[in-house]
């Protein structure tokens, strides 16, 4: 399976949530259930201009990007 095929399959099972579509309560619930994990990774990579995911999980767990991502995703 190619990376493109994998990405397409993942979008079927876990469609992206549009920016600004969530209330704070919905955002917190989605983060706890990992519904936003892929979008959070993409957000961090975009902010830092990362080409690959080296150290990405460490950055995700640091919480340094959490507030900015929350503001992007909530109404």
């Amino acid at each position: 399976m190619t990376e493109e095929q994998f990405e397409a399959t993942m979008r079927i099972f876990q469609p992206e949530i549009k920016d600004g579509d969530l209330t704070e309560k919905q955002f917190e619930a989605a983060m706890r259930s990992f519904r936003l994990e892929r979008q959070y990774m993409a957000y961090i990579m975009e902010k830092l201009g990362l080409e690959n995911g080296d150290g990405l999980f460490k950055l995700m767990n640091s919480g340094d990007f959490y507030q900015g991502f929350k503001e992007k995703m909530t109404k």
Side-chain angles (χ1 to χ4, degrees):
M1 178 181 288
T2 68
E3 187 172 334
E4 291 81 21
Q5 290 170 324
F6 175 77
E7 291 293 325
T9 302
M10 290 306 295
R11 280 192 292 278
I12 292 169
F13 292 108
Q14 192 176 45
E16 283 193 7
I17 297 171
K18 294 179 184 172
D19 297 355
D21 270 2
L22 303 174
T23 64
E24 282 193 44
K25 190 174 184 177
Q26 290 169 326
F27 173 81
E28 296 295 341
M31 287 298 283
R32 280 193 304 278
S33 66
F34 300 101
R35 283 269 337 270
L36 292 172
E37 185 171 359
R38 292 169 47 79
Q39 287 175 257
Y40 190 36
M41 287 189 294
Y43 174 81
I44 293 171
M45 289 180 72
E46 181 181 309
K47 288 291 180 188
L48 295 179
L50 298 175
E51 295 290 322
N52 57 39
D54 290 345
L56 189 56
F57 289 108
K58 191 174 190 176
L59 290 169
M60 289 174 68
N61 292 330
S62 74
D64 293 344
F65 297 91
Y66 188 85
Q67 189 60 38
F69 183 64
K70 182 177 182 178
E71 290 170 8
K72 176 183 175 192
M73 297 304 293
T74 57
K75 296 176 185 176

